[in-house]
Amino acid sequence: MCGIIAYVGQQQALPILINGLKRLEYRGYDSAGIAVMNPDLTIFKKKGKVINLEEHAANNEIKSTIGMGHTRWATHGEPCDRNSHPHLSDKKDLAIIHNGIIENYATLKQELINKGHHFESDTDSEVLIHFIEDIQENLNCSLEDAVRVALTRVTGAYAIVVMSQHEPDTLIAARKSSPLIVGIGKDEFFLASDATPIIEYTNQVVYLKDFEVAIIKNGKLTITDLQNNVHDTYIKELDIELAAIEKGAFEHYMLKEIFEQPKTIYDCMRGRILPEEGKVRLGGIREYIDHLCNARRIIIIACGTSLHAGMVARYLFEEICRIPVEVEYASEFRYGNPVVRDGDIVIAISQSGETADTLVAIEKAKEMGAIILGVCNVVGSSIPRTSHAGVYTHAGAEIGVASTKAFTAQLTVLYLIALQVAKEKGTIDNDRFKKIVNELDQIPAKVQQILDNSYITQSLASLYLDAKSMIYLGRGYNFPIALEGALKIKEISYIHAEGYPAAEMKHGPIALIDEEMPVVFIATKDHTYEKIVSNIQEVKARKGKVIAIVTEGDDVVKGLADHIVEIPQTDEMLTPLLSVIPLQLFAYYTGVLRGCNVDQPRNLAKSVTVE
């Protein structure tokens, strides 16, 4: 949830920290802070955006080549200056930044209060640095040993960086269930939650594993476990360009990422489909293709937008692979008592690959004998490392908090997996297979066609920006797209919205229909078309305002709806890749017209790494 950046080397730390925090702000933007040696351990922190911190720090002369910074998404304690990170120990000579939740903080805090410790914040993170200080004093041990001992006694998730007044060239970091990477430059080191704040300085990184501790001291990096066993350092090269994490000519990251979708969908397919040969080839699952073909059941686990991609995949796998599929909220799966049989396939979908609920859910399924396949965007993230196999989406960095290009990339990969399984299993005939592969190959161009007409959704947004509530309806493959459209308008414009299967409208939601209620139908030409036309007529009979996503050339719905947005014709199965685009644009333009921060919606963070 929160963003971490730290630096030690020969450069001035402050510009690196501030710039890094700006790049990480999509991970949390309740408050921000930095700690530097100037020459003593000095902290600056402010509620609100990083710009507030930057202005605050600019009033002070800071010269330091070591420091750490944090941008916060609140879990314990309201957003305010005193709850901002970094936090100091009781004697003010240790500082910590922390992403995650220490679940047993209350018990530890009471122990420390009984020993005379005084706390200045409401956070669990401050408790941890007091605890580290207490251990160091009582055991008379080094700081890194105190960190290791403390982490064996805490329960929960963490990515931490610790600095000490008495070791002005040292950074100590550790992780469990929360991402942290070490960037390695020339005579300098970086620590960060992800690659975005360090890519302009180095592309050489080490991905810390759970329960690993990184000690950067005297210009050297050492990685150990909590028992102080030294681990090998595996350096990987980042495959990301600086331009990919900048807005370029676009006003917002969200708009940039919506318009990148022709390219990102193409990149998902590149080298994986061969339309002229009618083939799909996914090396990432090749080893497990027999398990997929013989699976008695597939369980898809995800959260939020990724869950909606999984819901589309359910229709897909059941139709062309003839495999029963269950789609589960990761947060519910992990706390239930699910029936998982040896050999069941679990597909975990996550943009970041760090979603806490999904990680815990797949670990649980793995223990029960399931085969785990990951569909993720971020290379080297936790879910791919935990999975038996999987497929990367190659959508590139997604900075906008509300997912857009990552969603269509996930859908694309899921289509490819299902097609490969169906072909291997023999549950799809060759002509049908080739037709879908050829149609899939044309999707990027058809997405571009929709984007070229984005002014249509922009004008619709101006008509409905004052709506208090909206209903989104779809059937079959487009029911999950109704859910996704409703989620987007909620996330970005703060308009209440609900998605339903169109046939369910008569079973309750129709009571909400009046002349003030906009109803968005995904009404493309498919086998449910006549039924959804009837649903539109039911809404119009009650004076509801109808916005319809229709197949190009549809005159029937055009004569019924108040507004239509046309999308190109494609195979019914592939319609979600097109029908979602106008809904993303509609949410974006509505949010902008309402004055909302579309890249950083209130109360949300990009990567949910806490439970």
Side-chain angles (χ1 to χ4, degrees):
M1 286 292 196
C2 307
I4 284 174
I5 176 70
Y7 173 79
V8 58
Q10 306 301 315
Q11 301 185 61
Q12 286 299 306
L14 181 62
I16 294 171
L17 299 178
I18 293 295
N19 186 52
L21 290 177
K22 289 178 179 178
R23 298 232 186 263
L24 288 168
E25 199 165 19
Y26 71 101
R27 297 182 67 95
Y29 31 92
D30 293 334
S31 58
I34 58 170
V36 293
M37 293 294 180
N38 192 42
D40 297 326
L41 184 59
T42 306
I43 286 178
F44 302 93
K45 49 188 185 177
K46 273 291 179 183
K47 177 184 175 181
K49 304 289 187 182
V50 173
I51 187 66
N52 299 344
L53 171 68
E54 183 177 24
E55 292 170 354
H56 176 55
N59 296 324
N60 299 268
E61 187 175 347
I62 300 172
K63 292 186 176 181
S64 177
T65 57
I66 184 171
M68 61 187 186
H70 185 273
T71 182
R72 182 174 186 247
W73 186 87
T75 54
H76 290 68
E78 65 175 317
C80 59
D81 288 358
R82 66 187 181 85
N83 285 334
S84 306
H85 295 222
H87 291 289
L88 290 168
S89 62
D90 196 46
K91 293 185 176 178
K92 315 300 182 193
D93 53 5
L94 299 179
I96 193 171
I97 52 179
H98 169 221
N99 179 13
I101 293 178
I102 304 302
E103 294 173 2
N104 60 335
Y105 84 99
T107 302
L108 295 173
K109 186 173 185 177
Q110 190 56 56
E111 289 179 12
L112 292 163
I113 288 172
N114 293 343
K115 291 181 176 181
H117 284 247
H118 300 278
F119 293 89
E120 297 180 359
S121 77
D122 305 316
T123 69
D124 54 328
S125 308
E126 186 186 9
V127 174
L128 181 54
I129 194 62
H130 280 242
F131 187 43
I132 290 169
E133 178 186 72
D134 184 69
I135 289 170
Q136 188 178 13
E137 290 181 349
N138 283 308
L139 296 184
N140 192 27
C141 63
S142 67
L143 178 58
E144 52 260 42
D145 283 341
V147 169
R148 292 189 194 96
V149 172
L151 295 181
T152 63
R153 284 195 53 190
V154 299
T155 304
Y158 55 80
I160 63 169
V161 184
V162 175
M163 289 175 59
S164 170
Q165 168 75 42
H166 306 298
E167 300 184 49
D169 64 347
T170 300
L171 293 172
I172 299 172
R175 69 153 281 175
K176 177 199 170 189
S177 303
S178 197
L180 197 62
I181 64 175
V182 183
I184 302 173
K186 186 177 180 180
D187 301 322
E188 60 185 0
F189 295 91
F190 306 81
L191 293 157
S193 299
D194 61 43
T196 56
I198 67 172
I199 188 61
E200 60 194 281
Y201 306 106
T202 181
N203 65 351
Q204 303 293 305
V205 300
V206 175
Y207 293 94
L208 288 186
K209 299 175 183 175
D210 278 354
F211 305 110
E212 284 190 330
V213 180
I215 302 105
I216 301 171
K217 191 171 186 177
N218 298 324
K220 294 181 179 179
L221 169 66
T222 305
I223 296 176
T224 74
D225 57 24
L226 296 184
Q227 288 70 47
N228 201 20
N229 299 305
V230 176
H231 288 191
D232 291 334
T233 302
Y234 296 103
I235 300 174
K236 296 189 177 182
E237 188 170 309
L238 290 171
D239 183 20
I240 183 174
E241 296 179 359
L242 184 59
I245 59 172
E246 295 181 334
K247 285 187 287 191
F250 291 91
E251 186 178 356
H252 298 101
Y253 281 109
M254 183 179 179
L255 187 63
K256 172 180 180 273
E257 288 156 6
I258 290 172
F259 272 79
E260 284 178 339
Q261 287 175 108
K263 180 180 184 301
T264 54
I265 293 171
Y266 171 77
D267 286 344
C268 284
M269 297 188 293
R270 184 175 53 188
R272 293 170 168 173
I273 68 167
L274 305 169
E276 64 284 352
E277 299 176 32
K279 290 183 180 179
V280 172
R281 183 173 55 205
L282 289 169
I285 61 167
R286 181 71 256 175
E287 186 180 345
Y288 288 88
I289 196 69
D290 289 340
H291 293 86
L292 274 162
C293 291
N294 296 319
R296 291 174 296 175
R297 179 176 63 156
I298 293 173
I299 305 169
I300 296 176
I301 296 176
C303 300
T305 287
S306 296
L307 185 81
H308 299 156
M311 293 174 73
V312 174
R314 176 192 171 187
Y315 291 99
L316 183 65
F317 280 99
E318 291 188 342
E319 180 178 345
I320 67 171
C321 302
R322 306 308 296 156
I323 302 172
V325 177
E326 297 174 15
V327 183
E328 298 276 358
Y329 289 94
S331 54
E332 289 298 309
F333 181 89
R334 60 161 301 198
Y335 284 114
N337 188 19
V339 177
V340 178
R341 302 179 183 90
D342 190 46
D344 279 349
I345 302 290
V346 170
I347 299 177
I349 310 172
S350 168
Q351 188 282 137
S352 67
E354 301 290 352
T355 309
D357 286 320
T358 306
L359 261 170
V360 177
I362 64 174
E363 286 167 352
K364 184 173 185 177
K366 197 174 183 181
E367 290 171 3
M368 299 171 77
I371 294 169
I372 312 298
L373 304 180
V375 174
C376 297
N377 187 34
V378 180
V379 176
S381 55
S382 296
I383 289 175
R385 295 206 305 264
T386 305
S387 302
H388 292 100
V391 184
Y392 284 115
T393 57
H394 299 308
E398 188 178 64
I399 306 299
V401 168
S403 184
T404 53
K405 68 176 182 176
F407 175 69
T408 51
Q410 289 167 350
L411 284 182
T412 304
V413 162
L414 291 165
Y415 282 118
L416 296 177
I417 295 172
L419 284 165
Q420 184 164 350
V421 171
K423 185 70 183 296
E424 297 265 354
K425 194 176 180 184
T427 50
I428 187 171
D429 67 65
N430 201 47
D431 288 343
R432 175 82 170 122
F433 179 85
K434 285 184 176 180
K435 181 179 182 297
I436 296 172
V437 169
N438 279 308
E439 285 287 336
L440 194 55
D441 188 50
Q442 296 172 42
I443 288 293
K446 292 180 178 181
V447 171
Q448 187 61 56
Q449 184 179 332
I450 299 169
L451 294 172
D452 290 342
N453 295 314
S454 62
Y455 64 90
I456 297 172
T457 46
Q458 189 170 12
S459 64
L460 282 178
S462 67
L463 297 176
Y464 291 100
L465 65 94
D466 293 323
K468 298 293 186 289
S469 189
M470 302 181 76
I471 295 175
Y472 285 68
L473 301 173
R475 284 177 178 259
Y477 281 98
N478 280 311
F479 160 52
I481 301 306
L483 296 176
E484 177 61 13
L487 177 61
K488 283 292 158 285
I489 202 79
K490 281 184 281 195
E491 288 178 312
I492 299 306
S493 71
Y494 316 143
I495 294 174
H496 173 258
E498 297 296 336
Y500 293 96
E504 288 298 304
M505 181 182 62
K506 297 187 293 293
H507 299 278
I510 199 167
L512 298 170
I513 305 297
D514 60 19
E515 61 274 10
E516 299 297 323
M517 175 65 77
V519 183
V520 180
F521 279 92
I522 300 133
T524 52
K525 288 280 184 72
D526 57 32
H527 75 285
T528 66
Y529 177 72
E530 291 181 358
K531 297 294 184 183
I532 209 158
V533 168
S534 297
N535 298 141
I536 292 172
Q537 290 170 327
E538 289 164 351
V539 170
K540 290 306 298 178
R542 289 155 180 85
K543 299 183 179 180
K545 301 293 185 183
V546 173
I547 303 167
I549 311 300
V550 301
T551 305
E552 209 168 35
D554 184 337
D555 291 327
V556 175
V557 175
K558 185 177 183 180
L560 293 172
D562 295 275
H563 314 279
I564 65 165
V565 180
E566 293 184 321
I567 64 171
Q569 172 73 46
T570 191
D571 189 280
E572 175 181 342
M573 185 186 299
L574 302 177
T575 305
L577 285 165
L578 302 181
S579 60
V580 74
I581 306 297
L583 303 184
Q584 294 172 347
L585 289 165
F586 182 60
Y588 169 78
Y589 288 121
T590 303
V592 170
L593 289 171
R594 285 169 65 91
C596 303
N597 187 337
V598 295
D599 281 341
Q600 297 172 354
R602 68 187 181 201
N603 302 332
L604 297 179
K606 183 65 180 174
S607 179
V608 185
T609 57
V610 294
E611 301 169 32

